[in-house]
Amino acid sequence: MPMNQLLLELRNEIYVEPFSSIDFGKHRNTVAPSDMKRPNSIIVKLANPVFRAWETYARPLWLHRKANDVVRDLMRREDENTSYNDLAPVNKALQMAAVYFADGEASTSLAKHRETLPTYLWQSDKGMTSGGTNGVQVWDTAFTVLAVVEAGLANDSQFKAAMTRALDFLNVSQLRDNLTDPYRQRRKGGWPFSTKNNGYIVSDCSAESMKAVIMLQEECGFSKIISDSRLRECVDSLLSMQNEDGGFGSYERARGGEWLELLNPAEVFDRIMVEYSYPECTTAVLTSFSIFRQHFPDYNAAAIETAISRAVQYILASQHSDGGWYGSWAICFTYATFFALESLETVGQTYQTSIPARRACDWLVSKQKPDGGWGEHPSSCELQQYVQHEKSQVVNTAWALLALMSARYPHSTVIVNGLTLIQSRQQNNGEWLQEDVEGVFNRTCHETVKSGQAEAKDENKGLIGVTPLSLDHDSGGKGGVHATQLKGTQVGEPRISRHVTWLTQASPMRSSLCSYLRSLANLSTLFVELEVISLHCSNGKSIRVDAQQDRDTANSTRADDIVAVVSFLFVIFCCAVIDETMRISPGTALNALYHDQDIFGGPFFSRPERWIASESVSPESVAAVESVSFPFSIGSRRCPGKRLAYQEMAMAMAREVFRLDFRLSREM
């Protein structure tokens, strides 16, 4: 390339002394201290001058041309595999320069490189800079879908259109064939990191995308635009990526040993010569297999079970002696421990049942800061030991809370304090600001994003810090309203005039009513909750219902009549009673959490009013009990029948209150 004004300006900008005076041969090993992350091994230091002498004095020209042809063919494969985006900006720049000299300035290949160059460049407050990839579109889309689905908002009118478009994007981004390149990992059915043009399957991106698709199509009723056969192809490709140690890497199976890092010539990057197993990638694949087999139990069941078992063994084997796990794709021990505990929870290993899970929870809690948050410094990655940040970080806090909730950590005060910190940092527009470096790769390269959303979420009430839109407990799909939103609201029902009075006297419910409700229950959950609804009256509360309809109306079984009662009782009575009932008798390992004296004063007494803000119950108290309420579990293993169970409980309560009069027991 002939010298021009741009090159002159770049030379003056980059170098601290005149370009013409620099003897580059003397600076082969000169590296800025800030970039010296991994010094060259003695092998590389000895090999450099040997190969330089070989190239200059001994290498035959025919061998030089043969080597260039082989390397150029490999580079051409990379260009074609990625639609000339290339994997990252480092090899993008090198390959673009190589294409210029090998194919010429007027070549089609160079033109294609120029077309894709802007995907890496962006303008920051410090000037023009480069992204680490050509985007994170698939990765962010999959996690956004999972967050919305787990918050129960996928079919909400505010989010449904966005979820439909997200599913469309995952549809067009799926890799539908294998590469003709014989050196590359099988990819059919998988997903890349950014867009389809990225070209290569990534294990955790594929796993999280498959989970998102299954949740939208199988659990939320979205159109099935990605067929079952395409999901099976994703599973097959993921199975092919499992390493000998049971773990999963990022782009491919491990093909060499760690000893090859002795040949690493890059001082700024560590762990780049071969692929490794990572707790983060392993957990993503393991949990995706778990969800897949829930919906497709007959497909390749033995191979999936074996893969899950081996993955769990890898997770257990990679736990550090202090209880944490080292993370390679974000900061750092907090991040990996969050994923590892999610893996263990998938196979039933929680705080109550697993020593490794208990050790991990105790280790996490030991890192909690006085303000309730967690903060891990980015230097943890390089030092390979936990380093406390001077300030709590929202993202670290979210990861730690998700980890503890996955493990069913029983001491809810720890979790509530963390959630309180996250809520306090939310901005008026709904977002959370980036506070420090959050991502990392190759142990030494830190990733920065423009802004982020805290990932901790309350399964039943919506995203933490966001006003709940709906509990989805209503009977007609019209959108329920949480009782705490209705303090002071006057509710009228034109068709039914009933007065519901809470009496403060002790009033045991007659055993005959309990037996009657028992006979109504078709589902075990429904029976337990209806029985405890009755039981709560013996703990200081009773209902008196004065009917003002004629016998025909009072004995009605029409759904419209009952739904009218549901809409009335849901606001005043139904929501609080159901929530309290699910707390008292969860029937799961959550029993200890739901009877925590610090959160639930008098935890062994049924007090539905604890869920309703009033003069005697503060909104902060209601928020505290709501923040730890997930009776149907949380995350990927939550009960798929949650909404149906809530509907049946509400309808059964309304039906019986509609038909019966409840009065104080004569034994009082």
Side-chain angles (χ1 to χ4, degrees):
M1 177 181 294
M3 182 57 58
N4 55 48
Q5 186 62 32
L6 176 61
L7 289 179
L8 290 174
E9 291 176 359
L10 287 174
R11 287 178 175 181
N12 291 332
E13 180 179 338
I14 293 173
Y15 300 104
V16 296
E17 55 187 276
F19 180 85
S20 59
S21 66
I22 300 174
D23 184 351
F24 286 95
K26 294 182 178 180
H27 293 284
R28 179 175 301 279
N29 297 315
T30 302
V31 182
S34 59
D35 292 335
M36 182 58 78
K37 304 298 184 181
R38 187 187 189 281
N40 288 154
S41 68
I42 187 65
I43 295 176
V44 172
K45 290 179 179 179
L46 292 175
N48 275 334
V50 171
F51 283 122
R52 179 58 178 165
W54 161 257
E55 290 174 351
T56 305
Y57 304 111
R59 183 180 59 184
L61 183 60
W62 67 267
L63 185 58
H64 168 72
R65 291 172 177 170
K66 177 65 175 179
N68 281 350
D69 289 342
V70 171
V71 172
R72 180 67 187 102
D73 180 64
L74 293 173
M75 297 176 71
R76 186 175 290 110
R77 292 177 185 274
E78 168 76 0
D79 288 342
E80 294 172 352
N81 292 345
T82 62
S83 301
Y84 289 84
N85 284 277
D86 297 323
L87 186 62
V90 175
N91 70 321
K92 167 71 173 178
L94 293 174
Q95 298 213 171
M96 191 171 178
V99 166
Y100 177 88
F101 288 104
D103 298 352
E105 185 176 3
S107 64
T108 301
S109 55
L110 185 62
K112 291 181 177 179
H113 265 292
R114 285 171 170 160
E115 290 173 2
T116 56
L117 186 61
T119 61
Y120 286 105
L121 302 178
W122 59 286
Q123 190 75 24
S124 74
D125 54 359
K126 297 180 180 179
M128 182 68 72
T129 187
S130 174
T133 67
N134 69 330
V136 293
Q137 295 90 322
V138 165
W139 181 248
D140 282 358
T141 299
F143 273 119
T144 300
V145 169
L146 294 174
V148 173
V149 170
E150 293 191 6
L153 300 174
N155 282 302
D156 187 277
S157 58
Q158 183 176 346
F159 296 98
K160 188 167 185 177
M163 293 298 97
T164 299
R165 293 176 61 199
L167 183 58
D168 289 339
F169 176 74
L170 293 176
N171 176 38
V172 301
S173 300
Q174 189 181 23
L175 302 168
R176 303 293 300 278
D177 56 11
N178 289 315
L179 294 168
T180 57
D181 186 342
Y183 302 108
R184 291 297 181 177
Q185 170 71 41
R186 169 187 171 136
R187 69 172 194 174
K188 188 175 183 180
W191 275 269
F193 183 56
S194 54
T195 66
K196 196 171 185 176
N197 285 340
N198 186 245
Y200 300 125
I201 186 174
V202 183
S203 64
D204 50 355
C205 297
S206 299
E208 303 295 353
S209 296
M210 184 169 70
K211 285 194 285 188
V213 170
I214 291 174
M215 286 186 175
L216 287 177
Q217 295 187 165
E218 303 295 333
E219 300 182 10
C220 298
F222 281 65
S223 297
K224 206 163 190 175
I225 61 176
I226 298 179
S227 66
D228 296 349
S229 62
R230 290 167 60 184
L231 295 177
R232 291 194 292 267
E233 290 169 350
C234 181
V235 169
D236 291 340
S237 289
L238 287 174
L239 286 171
S240 73
M241 299 180 74
Q242 191 166 28
N243 291 323
E244 292 297 327
D245 61 4
F248 287 82
S250 53
Y251 284 90
E252 60 185 14
R253 293 183 78 247
R255 302 184 184 186
E258 191 172 2
W259 64 268
L260 287 169
E261 296 294 344
L262 293 173
L263 305 180
N264 183 355
E267 295 91 345
V268 71
F269 293 131
D270 196 3
R271 293 168 63 88
I272 64 171
M273 298 299 289
V274 295
E275 186 66 278
Y276 297 90
S277 292
Y278 307 105
E280 309 98 297
C281 296
T282 303
T283 294
V285 177
L286 187 158
T287 53
S288 73
F289 283 168
S290 177
I291 291 178
F292 176 85
R293 68 177 179 179
Q294 290 177 25
H295 296 278
F296 308 97
D298 297 327
Y299 184 75
N300 217 351
I304 291 174
E305 177 61 33
T306 299
I308 290 176
S309 177
R310 293 178 59 210
V312 171
Q313 292 305 311
Y314 161 76
I315 292 292
L316 293 172
S318 58
Q319 186 177 25
H320 285 214
S321 59
D322 60 6
W325 279 265
Y326 178 84
S328 297
W329 298 102
I331 312 299
C332 167
F333 289 92
T334 314
Y335 184 66
T337 301
F338 149 49
F339 275 95
L341 283 175
E342 188 179 6
S343 276
L344 297 182
E345 185 267 344
T346 300
V347 295
Q349 295 194 36
T350 64
Y351 187 90
Q352 291 79 10
T353 64
S354 166
I355 292 176
R358 190 176 305 121
R359 287 173 53 219
C361 289
D362 292 341
W363 174 81
L364 272 176
V365 172
S366 74
K367 304 303 181 184
Q368 189 174 29
K369 288 181 170 290
D371 62 4
W374 278 260
E376 184 177 0
H377 197 274
S379 61
S380 295
C381 301
E382 295 180 46
L383 298 176
Q384 300 180 56
Q385 62 183 20
Y386 190 96
V387 178
Q388 283 279 12
H389 202 288
E390 60 270 16
K391 179 182 177 182
S392 291
Q393 304 291 302
V394 164
V395 171
N396 284 144
T397 302
W399 291 335
L401 293 177
L402 288 169
L404 293 172
M405 288 189 285
S406 290
R408 306 293 190 265
Y409 186 70
H411 304 299
S412 57
T413 301
V414 171
I415 296 173
V416 171
N417 290 342
L419 293 174
T420 300
L421 179 125
I422 290 177
Q423 288 175 303
S424 70
R425 300 273 181 92
Q426 189 178 23
Q427 304 300 299
N428 291 333
N429 65 354
E431 74 170 339
W432 283 264
L433 301 178
Q434 181 180 356
E435 297 168 327
D436 203 336
V437 172
E438 299 163 0
V440 69
F441 61 91
N442 302 126
R443 188 175 284 170
T444 57
C445 187
H446 296 163
E447 299 172 304
T448 300
V449 295
K450 196 70 174 178
S451 63
Q453 296 285 341
E455 294 180 46
K457 47 190 172 289
D458 177 337
E459 175 72 6
N460 293 328
K461 305 303 188 292
L463 296 177
I464 292 300
V466 180
T467 301
L469 301 176
S470 169
L471 291 182
D472 291 320
H473 296 176
D474 60 293
S475 61
K478 301 175 184 177
V481 183
H482 197 270
T484 56
Q485 295 175 301
L486 298 170
K487 180 181 178 182
T489 300
Q490 299 298 316
V491 180
E493 175 51 59
R495 297 185 58 214
I496 300 176
S497 176
R498 291 193 171 194
H499 179 64
V500 180
T501 305
W502 293 98
L503 303 177
T504 58
Q505 303 94 321
S507 52
M509 184 66 73
R510 299 178 199 173
S511 61
S512 59
L513 176 58
C514 185
S515 299
Y516 176 71
L517 292 176
R518 182 193 300 267
S519 69
L520 291 176
N522 296 320
L523 299 175
S524 60
T525 300
L526 181 60
F527 158 65
V528 170
E529 305 319 323
L530 289 175
E531 186 169 32
V532 181
I533 285 168
S534 302
L535 180 62
H536 91 80
C537 296
S538 68
N539 292 327
K541 300 297 173 187
S542 178
I543 308 168
R544 178 169 176 262
V545 181
D546 296 324
Q548 297 183 7
Q549 295 87 10
D550 58 27
R551 177 177 293 276
D552 290 341
T553 304
N555 291 329
S556 173
T557 59
R558 292 176 60 245
D560 289 345
D561 293 332
I562 298 174
V563 168
V565 179
V566 170
S567 63
F568 175 49
L569 293 179
F570 180 76
V571 175
I572 302 298
F573 161 70
C574 205
C575 178
V577 173
I578 289 176
D579 284 345
E580 180 69 350
T581 300
M582 298 293 284
R583 180 193 70 80
I584 288 179
S585 185
T588 69
L590 296 172
N591 190 62
L593 173 63
Y594 289 168
H595 292 82
D596 190 311
Q597 178 67 33
D598 294 339
I599 300 301
F600 303 97
F604 295 97
F605 292 91
S606 179
R607 294 174 181 169
E609 65 270 22
R610 74 173 83 241
W611 301 89
I612 304 174
S614 64
E615 292 182 0
S616 60
V617 180
S618 69
E620 291 76 17
S621 177
V622 173
V625 298
E626 288 180 347
S627 67
V628 295
S629 175
F630 33 87
F632 287 86
S633 189
I634 190 171
S636 60
R637 291 177 64 83
R638 73 196 187 286
C639 175
K642 178 180 72 173
R643 296 180 184 177
L644 175 62
Y646 269 114
Q647 287 188 17
E648 293 222 7
M649 284 187 280
M651 290 294 290
M653 288 176 60
R655 176 82 174 91
E656 296 319 303
V657 173
F658 191 86
R659 294 180 63 249
L660 302 176
D661 290 339
F662 299 96
R663 298 184 179 89
L664 292 177
S665 171
R666 293 179 181 177
E667 289 80 8
M668 289 295 303

